[in-house]
Amino acid sequence: IHNNNHTIEFNVPNNVTAIDLNVSVTDDLLTSYQDVEFTITAVNDAPTISGLADQAITEDITFWYDITSLIADVDNTTAQLKLATNSSYITPHDTNHTLEITYPNGVTTKTVRVTVSDGPLTAYQDVTFTITAVNDAPTISGLTDQAITEDIRFWYDISSLIADVDNLTSGL
């Protein structure tokens, strides 16, 4: 209550639907009282996301990142929140609020925006994944049986049938 300008100021916290107030006015000799009720209209507050830690992961191996404790919403339960990311290598799971992450060969670092939504409102935080490469086995496929003649030099070019995602074919 501000006596100088005769106003009542409220900063209503979440989940308060009404405030009953007994207001008095005095001239130092006599006092008058009146009860008044203020009905509060709720508004949707944005969800929050914070505390995402940068992660070191290994390529081709699925990493699960549980972010349940890092998201919140004062108006909704965690179960009502939806997750999204800007990476095609991450699958958000809304039922348990985890991120399923599998980065392929060739990706060494990736900064990803993780978004949480309550429907109309969203919040986001960026997180960086550092991906450790692993040596993948070379591949060979498409070899066909060959008929060759004895005592005759035979060359079978297999260069188009071998590959290695980590090395040049010339290094095999």
Side-chain angles (χ1 to χ4, degrees):
I1 297 179
H2 300 284
N3 288 331
N4 294 344
N5 59 9
H6 304 103
T7 60
I8 301 171
E9 180 180 352
F10 291 101
N11 187 7
V12 182
N14 287 311
N15 301 320
V16 174
T17 58
I19 296 176
D20 292 319
L21 194 61
N22 181 281
V23 180
S24 64
V25 61
T26 183
D27 63 6
D28 290 331
L29 295 175
L30 298 171
T31 302
S32 294
Y33 302 92
Q34 182 174 350
D35 291 332
V36 62
E37 179 180 11
F38 296 91
T39 303
I40 313 303
T41 302
V43 297
N44 184 28
D45 295 290
T48 60
I49 182 169
S50 65
L52 288 178
D54 293 345
Q55 299 291 320
I57 63 176
T58 304
E59 80 177 18
D60 299 329
I61 296 176
T62 300
F63 175 76
W64 291 87
Y65 193 6
D66 184 351
I67 64 170
T68 305
S69 65
L70 307 176
I71 60 175
D73 191 328
V74 296
D75 301 313
N76 298 288
T77 66
T78 306
Q80 295 170 303
L81 300 176
K82 304 293 180 201
L83 299 176
T85 74
N86 63 343
S87 174
S88 61
Y89 302 117
I90 299 177
T91 303
H93 295 279
D94 293 328
T95 54
N96 59 4
H97 298 96
T98 58
L99 303 175
E100 181 182 356
I101 305 157
T102 307
Y103 276 97
N105 292 303
V107 180
T108 56
T109 60
K110 183 71 174 173
T111 299
V112 176
R113 177 155 290 173
V114 180
T115 303
V116 61
S117 173
D118 65 5
L121 299 175
T122 62
Y124 67 86
Q125 184 178 358
D126 292 340
V127 60
T128 299
F129 295 97
T130 303
I131 300 98
T132 301
V134 295
N135 186 20
D136 296 288
T139 60
I140 185 168
S141 64
L143 291 175
T144 58
D145 294 340
Q146 302 291 314
I148 60 173
T149 304
E150 176 183 30
D151 296 328
I152 304 279
R153 182 175 284 179
F154 176 78
W155 296 96
Y156 187 15
D157 183 4
I158 63 168
S159 61
S160 65
L161 305 176
I162 60 175
D164 190 337
V165 295
D166 299 313
N167 300 291
L168 297 174
T169 305
S170 62
L172 299 177

